[in-house]
Amino acid sequence: MVVNVVNVVNSAQTVADRYREFSWQQARGRSDAHAELTARISHDAEFCDLLSGSLPAGNKQRPTLLLAAVRYLDGPHAELGPRDETAYGRWREWTVRHWDEVRAVIMRRADRTGEPAHCATLLPLLARLPQPLALLEVGAAAGLCLQPDRYRYRYEADGAGTGTEFGAPGSPVTFVCRTSTAGPGHAPGPAPVAPEALTRLPDIAWRAGIDPDPLDPVAERDDLRWLQALRWPVDEDRPAHGTYSPHSQNRADRLAAAVEAVRPAPRPRIVRGDLLDELPALAAEAPSEATLVIFHTAVLGTLPLARREEFAALVRSLLAERDGPGHWISHEHHTVLPWIAAPAHHTPRPEDAHLLTLALDERPVALTGPDGASLRLLTENTPAG
């Protein structure tokens, strides 16, 4: 086994704290398997010492990378994760025995997934902006979110038992999204997003993206395999999640179907490079007659706060100086862009801890499920159609 001390500020305790925080704050309530596994790792001093001594501090020590690498390599409990101490022992033994391979996957891969189901939460906003659109995704990964017009969608009003389905004819994938509305002085209810925003696809004239490590699951089966390994194992039938209707695919099959949906389409241009450094030149290529939409989903959390603030300043500048119309759609956890806050009247619920804030030009318009399965519209901030 190759173990190199790569960062003197690394420590087993730092790694343990990171896994404990991940288990409690991120995985709990979303994935029982990930919550249990990372909690057990946080109490395993010897294994945390292996991680701190083998991996550079920073993004390469993200728990999601380790868990995905083991799943990618067909490690034990690849789908469900350990369920008791004995099962954890088997997972640990396999991972340590195959550590060179696991570490190699971690070092060459990143954990930006570009979950295509996020299109279900982005679509109502995209459909209400002035058309046509020029989409520029920051942190595009495989570029699947640049193809919202290639999928079908079913929007189900929360608690109402009704739904609207539309989208690309014959698409092999349908994204199911539960909708509700929260406005001043009242709790979330079953009222859906405006019907016109749920029945039309956006007119996209141009699309491009930036990613430090772009993927091509259409041409490279190994890239698809990695994207599938990154999917968190969840109980898809759990009512509290409201994740998918019985007629929808499971997560791995849904991802493969999304890839098939975009296969006939021209590939969007994905530029490899730094998210900030490449943005100005790529934005300049967008046609001036189209509405430029710079957007990102669950991406900026990998950057330090100062870099996020620099990104925000850059986007504001690019849109202000643009000859044609332009907007910024951010779709991040509320801790990532802390100056974008939900309205003061909004009363958080326990399940809100994992929600993403969907914002247009730094104004929050909705709270969304991290897997694209729910959209709670903040009615007073919704843009006019």
Side-chain angles (χ1 to χ4, degrees), residues 39-59:
R40 291 187 183 279
I41 291 172
S42 74
H43 292 291
D44 188 336
E46 184 178 353
F47 191 77
C48 288
D49 189 56
L50 168 65
L51 297 177
S52 67
S54 302
L55 299 171
N59 288 333

Side-chain angles (χ1 to χ4, degrees), residues 1 27 225 255 305 347:
M1 181 189 306
R225 180 180 175 85
L255 176 63
L305 179 58
T347 302

Side-chain angles (χ1 to χ4, degrees), residues 28 33 35 37 89-90 104 108 208 227 230 307 322 362:
R28 184 172 62 102
L37 178 51
R90 289 194 295 268
R108 76 170 186 267
L227 286 174
L230 283 167
R307 193 68 167 156
R322 177 173 164 77
E362 301 180 87

Side-chain angles (χ1 to χ4, degrees), residues 88-107:
Y88 174 68
R90 289 194 295 268
W91 181 92
R92 183 191 192 278
E93 188 276 333
W94 186 96
T95 303
V96 171
R97 180 158 41 88
H98 294 86
W99 182 246
D100 286 350
E101 300 124 276
V102 173
R103 183 182 184 278
V105 171
I106 292 172
M107 294 304 296

Side-chain angles (χ1 to χ4, degrees), residues 184-239:
H186 62 270
V193 183
E196 68 273 13
L198 296 180
T199 56
R200 69 184 183 205
L201 294 172
D203 177 13
I204 304 172
W206 180 91
R207 57 192 104 204
I210 308 166
D211 198 90
D213 184 28
L215 302 171
D216 187 356
V218 174
E220 300 292 339
R221 290 191 60 84
D222 195 57
D223 283 354
L224 175 58
R225 180 180 175 85
W226 174 244
L227 286 174
Q228 290 174 320
L230 283 167
R231 266 50 190 175
W232 290 25
V234 297
D235 180 354
E236 295 178 12
D237 297 322
R238 184 169 49 190

Side-chain angles (χ1 to χ4, degrees), residues 60-90:
K60 291 302 180 182
Q61 286 191 3
R62 292 169 67 91
T64 46
L65 269 178
L66 170 64
L67 304 185
V70 174
R71 298 181 77 196
Y72 171 83
L73 294 169
D74 291 326
H77 308 279
E79 291 305 316
L80 297 178
R83 293 299 186 186
D84 54 35
E85 186 64 35
T86 301
Y88 174 68
R90 289 194 295 268

Side-chain angles (χ1 to χ4, degrees), residues 104-274:
V105 171
I106 292 172
M107 294 304 296
R108 76 170 186 267
R109 290 293 191 177
D111 65 348
R112 276 184 292 277
T113 62
E115 168 59 69
H118 285 305
C119 288
T121 52
L122 295 169
L123 190 73
L125 188 51
L126 293 174
R128 301 187 73 168
L129 295 177
Q131 308 290 309
L133 305 180
L135 298 184
L136 198 169
E137 184 178 13
V138 177
L144 297 176
C145 288
L146 285 165
Q147 307 270 17
D149 49 343
R150 288 282 169 174
Y151 313 125
R152 290 193 63 77
Y153 304 88
R154 180 171 177 82
Y155 293 94
E156 300 178 344
D158 194 7
T162 59
T164 299
E165 183 168 329
F166 76 104
S171 177
V173 64
T174 299
F175 297 131
V176 180
C177 184
R178 188 180 67 252
T179 64
S180 60
T181 305
H186 62 270
V193 183
E196 68 273 13
L198 296 180
T199 56
R200 69 184 183 205
L201 294 172
D203 177 13
I204 304 172
W206 180 91
R207 57 192 104 204
I210 308 166
D211 198 90
D213 184 28
L215 302 171
D216 187 356
V218 174
E220 300 292 339
R221 290 191 60 84
D222 195 57
D223 283 354
L224 175 58
R225 180 180 175 85
W226 174 244
L227 286 174
Q228 290 174 320
L230 283 167
R231 266 50 190 175
W232 290 25
V234 297
D235 180 354
E236 295 178 12
D237 297 322
R238 184 169 49 190
H241 245 315
T243 308
Y244 311 114
S245 295
H247 61 270
S248 65
Q249 298 110 326
N250 64 39
R251 289 167 63 86
D253 290 345
R254 185 187 62 181
L255 176 63
V259 170
E260 290 307 307
V262 305
R263 187 178 297 278
R267 306 277 180 83
R269 181 185 174 205
I270 309 295
V271 175
R272 181 186 296 272
D274 181 83

